[in-house]
Amino acid sequence: MTLRRPLVAGNWKMHKTGAEARGYARSLRELLADGDGRVQVAVCPPFTALDAAVVAFAGSGVEVFAQAVHEADAGAHTGEIATGMILGTGATGTLVGHSERRAAAETDLQVARRTRAALDAGLSVILCVGESLDRRDAGETEAWLTAQLRAALPGLGGREDALSIAYEPIWAIGTGRTATPESAQAAIAHVRRVAGEQLDAERVRVLYGGSVNADNAAALMAQPDIDGALVGGASLDPESFAAIVRAA
Ligand code: PEP
């Protein structure tokens, strides 16, 4: 029996105002009202909607995570957000290293520092890794994942309760092109093996992300190493996000 509680997180990216977050929360709360709490559920609104989302989801069991975080406590970092600011909204976690942030020049070193800073501050972290189509076609998927994980995970042993890893092949994000359950399972088994160099591999949750929707979620999450999903586009509609939560 797995020790790992499934986690389904919705990444809203640059969508929804505070008012829209409140409306979304009203719908999602109703849709999940009969849930048994077996699945951990989180939404990741933009920074400007964190406060509103925390208030709107209070007492529902749905957690609110940020989408990114800076490693410094404070300072001259225009446009960035510190761990204390996230905690100050009442949010309880953050994504780190999403491929859209890495593409905008977030380095492996920053990802490592930000993961550690967030965990040290008491936030939960979903650390994102994944290969581009070029890497996959070149047969370099495993080597790429190994390098990203070895850059981010050293020293994080013992943090398995707060740290999840999301395997998100870049070619599957927002493209409608999902990894097959078998190929996602193979990559995630590799992620778990490499994570096992630093963490208790049986306790660390590894999620799949990349065009997850209500139709493909159950088959993906039925794979033995897939502990949940990081959902982009399909999380924007409470009905489809709730259907994915139910599939988990
Ligand atoms: C994501 O942005 O993390 C993601 C998985 O997006 P989508 O579900 O839209 O592919």
Side-chain angles (χ1 to χ4, degrees), residues 146-159:
T146 300
Q148 286 190 320
L149 292 164
R150 286 189 180 155
L153 296 182
L156 299 184
R159 312 291 192 93

Side-chain angles (χ1 to χ4, degrees), residues 11 13 95 98 100 128 168 172-176 208-212 230-234:
N11 174 13
K13 309 193 185 192
L95 306 180
H98 190 281
E100 288 156 14
C128 304
E168 297 208 303
I173 295 181
T175 59
Y208 168 78
S211 298
V212 174
L230 180 55
V231 187

Side-chain angles (χ1 to χ4, degrees), residues 71 97 101-102 104-114 151:
E71 66 271 31
R101 301 278 304 173
R102 293 181 189 258
E106 193 170 68
T107 64
D108 274 350
L109 184 61
Q110 285 172 322
V111 170
R113 287 183 174 155
R114 291 169 182 186

Side-chain angles (χ1 to χ4, degrees), residues 8 57 64 72 75 89 124 137 150 157 175 178 190-191 213 224 226 228 233:
V8 176
F57 279 112
V64 178
T89 69
S124 298
D137 288 346
R150 286 189 180 155
T175 59
T178 319
H190 177 75
V191 167
N213 58 41
I226 301 184

Side-chain angles (χ1 to χ4, degrees), residues 108-202:
D108 274 350
L109 184 61
Q110 285 172 322
V111 170
R113 287 183 174 155
R114 291 169 182 186
T115 301
R116 173 173 287 273
L119 290 169
D120 285 349
L123 289 164
S124 298
V125 169
I126 301 176
L127 168 70
C128 304
V129 297
E131 81 287 0
S132 65
L133 192 54
D134 285 353
R135 300 269 170 205
R136 171 155 285 253
D137 288 346
E140 294 170 0
T141 297
E142 292 199 353
W144 183 257
L145 295 174
T146 300
Q148 286 190 320
L149 292 164
R150 286 189 180 155
L153 296 182
L156 299 184
R159 312 291 192 93
E160 293 82 356
D161 289 341
L163 175 65
S164 306
I165 301 169
Y167 166 63
E168 297 208 303
I170 296 168
W171 46 270
I173 295 181
T175 59
R177 192 180 153 193
T178 319
T180 62
E182 295 73 24
S183 77
Q185 162 61 29
I188 286 178
H190 177 75
V191 167
R192 192 178 304 286
R193 269 194 301 279
V194 178
E197 295 170 3
Q198 304 290 335
L199 310 172
D200 180 345
E202 289 309 309

